[in-house]
Amino acid sequence: MRISNRVHHPSAAPGGRSARPVRGLLLACAVGAAVLTGCSTEDATCGGGEYPVMTIGGTGSACVPNGEEPPKGYTRYPEGKVPEHVGDKWDTYWQTHTLDENGKVVEVPQGG
């Protein structure tokens, strides 16, 4: 007669199920929800409750609380040309362009 030394070790998870599939399902649901609601993993130019402004005659930028005017030396981006995310079309454009003191779009001199 053969005797087996096998011992049954029940899973530590409740109901004998592994927690790994549940975590995977939760992660998949979170990613799906982010995609469906339009959430983005890109870095926003400004946080909630703020809007971006640019330096007059330079390529600097800042974020200003909604309802407040830009500080001295800064101006709002032209309508329709506001960067929303780091590296987007307008963020890249404004690295080589600026507004002069009259509000005209001009190229920034190299090195400037």
Side-chain angles (χ1 to χ4, degrees):
M1 172 185 230
R2 187 164 192 202
I3 299 175
S4 174
N5 287 334
R6 292 185 187 172
V7 178
H8 177 70
H9 295 285
S11 172
R17 293 183 182 156
S18 172
R20 184 172 286 163
V22 173
R23 278 188 247 137
L25 179 61
L26 289 174
L27 179 61
C29 288
V31 169
V35 169
L36 292 175
T37 60
C39 292
S40 174
T41 57
E42 297 174 318
D43 292 327
T45 302
C46 290
E50 298 178 318
Y51 68 94
V53 294
M54 64 186 303
T55 56
I56 297 170
T59 58
S61 64
C63 295
V64 176
N66 291 340
E68 291 186 18
E69 290 298 314
K72 184 175 174 125
Y74 287 82
T75 188
R76 295 175 188 264
Y77 286 92
E79 190 173 332
K81 297 181 180 182
V82 180
E84 295 181 17
H85 296 96
V86 175
D88 72 10
K89 172 184 173 180
W90 293 115
D91 182 57
T92 303
Y93 176 82
W94 292 114
Q95 291 175 21
T96 57
H97 294 79
T98 190
L99 294 177
D100 67 13
E101 59 279 346
N102 298 315
K104 181 181 174 189
V105 175
V106 294
E107 282 193 52
V108 176
Q110 282 193 323

